[in-house]
Amino acid sequence: MSTTSVTEDFSQLRADCEFRAEVHDERYRVREAIGVGEWLYDPQLRFATEDGAVVLSDIGGQPERGFDPTAGHGAIYRFTADDRLETISPPGMHGVTAPLRPEQAPPWFGGWGGHLFFIAQAESGRVGAHKGHRLYRMDPADGIPHAFADLPHHGPVGGGVPGAGMTGTFGPKGSPHEGYLFCQSLVNCVVYRIDPDGNAEPYLVMAPPLVERPMMPFLTFVAPDHSQWRDVAGEVIIATRATTYLEHGEAKTDLQYWRIDDSDRSVHPVTGMQWRAGPIAPEGFGPYAGHMFTVDEGSTNLLHASINELNAKPLPYDARILRIAPDGSEHVFVDGIQGGSTTLVFAGNRLVAASSRKSYSTGEYHEPDGSIFVVEPAGS
């Protein structure tokens, strides 16, 4: 599917989401590739393919405009090297709800190498976001989702409900985590570990007695070999927010990081990390090859209880893309971005970025306000 114009009048939406990104280096240019009011709702970039495309998921979108709370929603696409969207799994996901951050299985994950795995709601709509979640498997050749594992109820937080699930990371080869996929649940603060046979076990509960207070395990990822992450490079890291899901209180957006000791299933703080790990620029990305790029979402926190207050007005333009040099120094690379959830992937000599803005699934906001923009060397 290529992006096409639609008949609805999205002029106000486009005005509210005007593209204002500015790159702070004359050797690079930034341009909007897929604008709002087309087909993207909550796009999340995942990984690049050999042909320069980027695989992405979208939490929003159904076969028809609008929102049917009883039907599936979301899609999985390829954003091609010539700025088109090609469908892997169509809007509505064949009845499956809200694919979250698909990960491509490595060859050592049973016989599923190359398949996509993602967490999705077991029930549709906002109600389903607060209920149990399920892990799905998809062969990208046919785009059909297959139920792979249900996350079991567990723990003292949130009634033990595995809701607001997040796909995490595959364990690195040669580590104690090889052969497992990690996923997280924000409602009950549990990190789950899933094997290639579809067995899901509660692995860690980010709440007392493991840690001082309940906290959402927002991300699990493998630390890169770069600047301040170098001491824990190759380890599975948990990034938490020191609040519980949709907790009333201060809308904090900062993250805390923890490394896992698999020998006794303990976690230990990783300090000195101001910004989350991001993609590292390849050789073709001009003078900043080898630099890491990450996102500061600014003041927009989509996981906070006041989320629906955001829907009444345009989001602020205070999100930024930061460049982290190999020596750990920080530099603003792009600013003037509307925050919420911004994802980055390098594909060839392009830094591809997706803006999700307001939340489709948990925010009761169902407009196509997602977009994709590209940063590339000015001479390319």
Side-chain angles (χ1 to χ4, degrees), residues 12-49:
Q12 186 58 57
L13 179 66
R14 293 189 178 104
D16 290 346
C17 304
E18 178 187 5
F19 184 66
R20 300 181 187 176
E22 180 180 357
V23 61
H24 290 272
D25 192 312
E26 62 184 11
R27 295 169 293 185
Y28 296 83
R29 64 184 179 189
V30 59
R31 58 183 177 83
E32 189 173 49
I34 305 290
V36 301
E38 298 188 39
W39 274 103
L40 294 177
Y41 294 80
D42 284 7
Q44 296 178 318
L45 305 182
R46 302 309 303 145
F47 57 88
T49 57

Side-chain angles (χ1 to χ4, degrees), residues 186-198:
L186 305 189
V187 170
N188 61 351
C189 299
V190 173
V191 176
Y192 291 89
R193 191 172 74 168
I194 302 99
D195 69 19
D197 295 323

Side-chain angles (χ1 to χ4, degrees), residues 9 13 42 77 86-87 114 122 130 155 173 186 201 210 215 220 226 253 258 283 320 325 330:
D9 181 6
L13 179 66
D42 284 7
Y77 300 112
E86 295 178 345
T87 300
H130 300 169
K173 188 173 181 59
L186 305 189
E201 66 160 334
L210 183 65
M215 54 185 67
T220 55
H226 192 277
T253 59
W258 309 81
E283 286 299 323
R320 310 176 295 169
E330 303 166 3

Side-chain angles (χ1 to χ4, degrees), residues 163-183:
M166 297 283 191
T167 314
T169 189
F170 286 94
K173 188 173 181 59
S175 77
H177 308 299
E178 178 182 339
Y180 294 103
L181 169 62
F182 291 90
C183 297

Side-chain angles (χ1 to χ4, degrees), residues 43 46 92 116 158 169 186 229 277 323 325 328 337 340 345 357 362:
R46 302 309 303 145
L116 304 180
T169 189
L186 305 189
W229 290 99
R323 175 176 61 84
I337 304 168
V345 168
R357 296 182 175 86
T362 60

